[in-house]
């Protein structure tokens, strides 16, 4: 019980009346006095050992909890510094090849459509995030074309004529119905370069 009261005294958690009783006990009981002084000296040593930690000054906790917070704070700072050192050392020992980071292979693909009656033609699909991309008119031939760099894999697309009408690519047999009652063309880009059926 004495250690508990001494701990409350050290942490300044005694009420005013309890402080009076505590001081009276120290004056009347010599062993209580020696135990209080020993625990106060131990507290001074603990605070000196952990004074390098950067816990904010306005952070107030009971001494034992304060000791744990300071120890955790110090361990966290040391761990973060160690992680940074390992990361930097790892990058020096094992440099990253920027080319290896680009894991998505791109393929140039040319889209061609014969549509002589239109003055504006767009392509829209998964490779454009379903946003219209204008195609280029090839002189007065009636053909429209566009070459895009597209990631390998399966893609769906349609052509959008000037009035907003969507039409599938007539040169691609693979089709898929869309959510609006129309059809999208489906192509598979990659090593095989074979349309999906």
């Amino acid at each position: 019980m004495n250690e508990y009261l001494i701990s409350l005294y050290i942490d300044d958690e005694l009420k005013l009346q309890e402080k009076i009783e505590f001081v009276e006990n120290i004056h009347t009981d010599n062993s209580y006095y020696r135990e209080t002084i020993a625990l106060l000296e131990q507290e001074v040593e603990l605070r000196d050992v952990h004074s390098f930690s950067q816990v904010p000054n306005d952070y107030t906790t009971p001494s034992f909890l304060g000791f744990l917070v300071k120890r955790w704070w110090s361990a966290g700072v040391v761990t973060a510094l160690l992680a940074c050192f390992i990361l930097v050392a790892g990058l020096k020992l094992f440099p990253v090849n920027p080319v290896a980071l680009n894991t998505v292979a791109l393929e140039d693909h040319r889209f061609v459509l014969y549509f002589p009656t239109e003055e504006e033609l767009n392509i829209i699909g998964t490779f454009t995030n379903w946003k219209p991309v204008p195609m280029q008119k090839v002189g007065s031939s009636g053909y429209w074309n566009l070459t895009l760099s597209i990631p390998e894999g399966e893609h769906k697309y349609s052509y959008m004529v000037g009035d907003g009408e969507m039409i599938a690519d007539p040169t691609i047999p693979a089709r898929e119905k869309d959510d609006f009652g129309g059809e999208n063309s489906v192509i598979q880009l990659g090593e095989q370069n074979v349309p999906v059926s």
Side-chain angles (χ1 to χ4, degrees):
M1 183 65 176
N2 287 351
E3 286 184 10
Y4 176 72
L5 286 176
I6 294 169
S7 176
L8 291 176
Y9 171 77
I10 291 171
D11 297 334
D12 198 22
E13 293 182 3
L14 291 175
K15 296 177 184 161
L16 195 55
Q17 185 61 39
E18 292 171 328
K19 287 181 181 180
I20 293 170
E21 292 172 17
F22 178 80
V23 171
E24 287 174 350
N25 286 338
I26 284 182
H27 284 290
T28 58
D29 186 348
N30 198 27
S31 65
Y32 195 56
Y33 164 79
R34 284 193 307 273
E35 188 176 355
T36 302
I37 294 297
L39 287 173
L40 280 168
E41 289 172 347
Q42 181 181 358
E43 185 71 20
V44 168
E45 287 178 25
L46 286 174
R47 289 185 184 184
D48 286 345
V49 168
H50 296 285
S51 64
F52 68 91
S53 68
Q54 298 298 314
V55 176
N57 291 335
D58 61 342
Y59 192 87
T60 57
T61 58
S63 65
F64 180 69
L65 185 56
F67 170 76
L68 291 178
V69 167
K70 287 179 183 179
R71 171 141 319 202
W72 167 82
W73 184 272
S74 300
V77 170
V78 170
T79 302
L81 289 174
L82 185 60
C84 289
F85 173 77
I86 290 170
L87 179 64
V88 169
L91 289 175
K92 294 275 187 192
L93 292 173
F94 306 102
V96 178
N97 181 358
V99 175
L101 293 177
N102 185 7
T103 57
V104 177
L106 296 177
E107 181 178 310
D108 284 343
H109 189 80
R110 184 171 179 236
F111 297 91
V112 178
L113 182 66
Y114 181 73
F115 217 100
T117 60
E118 287 301 318
E119 291 300 316
E120 183 182 344
L121 191 65
N122 294 291
I123 189 166
I124 184 169
T126 55
F127 45 84
T128 69
N129 290 324
W130 296 103
K131 294 179 181 163
V133 174
M135 295 189 68
Q136 299 153 355
K137 195 171 191 179
V138 183
S140 59
S141 66
Y143 282 96
W144 297 77
N145 75 4
L146 181 65
T147 301
L148 295 172
S149 293
I150 301 175
E152 291 183 353
E154 182 180 278
H155 295 282
K156 300 169 182 118
Y157 70 99
S158 290
Y159 295 110
M160 179 187 292
V161 294
D163 61 0
E165 180 188 355
M166 305 293 284
I167 54 172
D169 191 332
T171 64
I172 302 293
R175 307 268 173 92
E176 180 179 278
K177 295 207 178 286
D178 65 18
D179 295 335
F180 307 103
E183 288 184 325
N184 291 317
S185 300
V186 181
I187 55 171
Q188 178 72 36
L189 300 180
E191 291 181 22
Q192 298 84 15
N193 216 6
V194 178
V196 176
S197 55

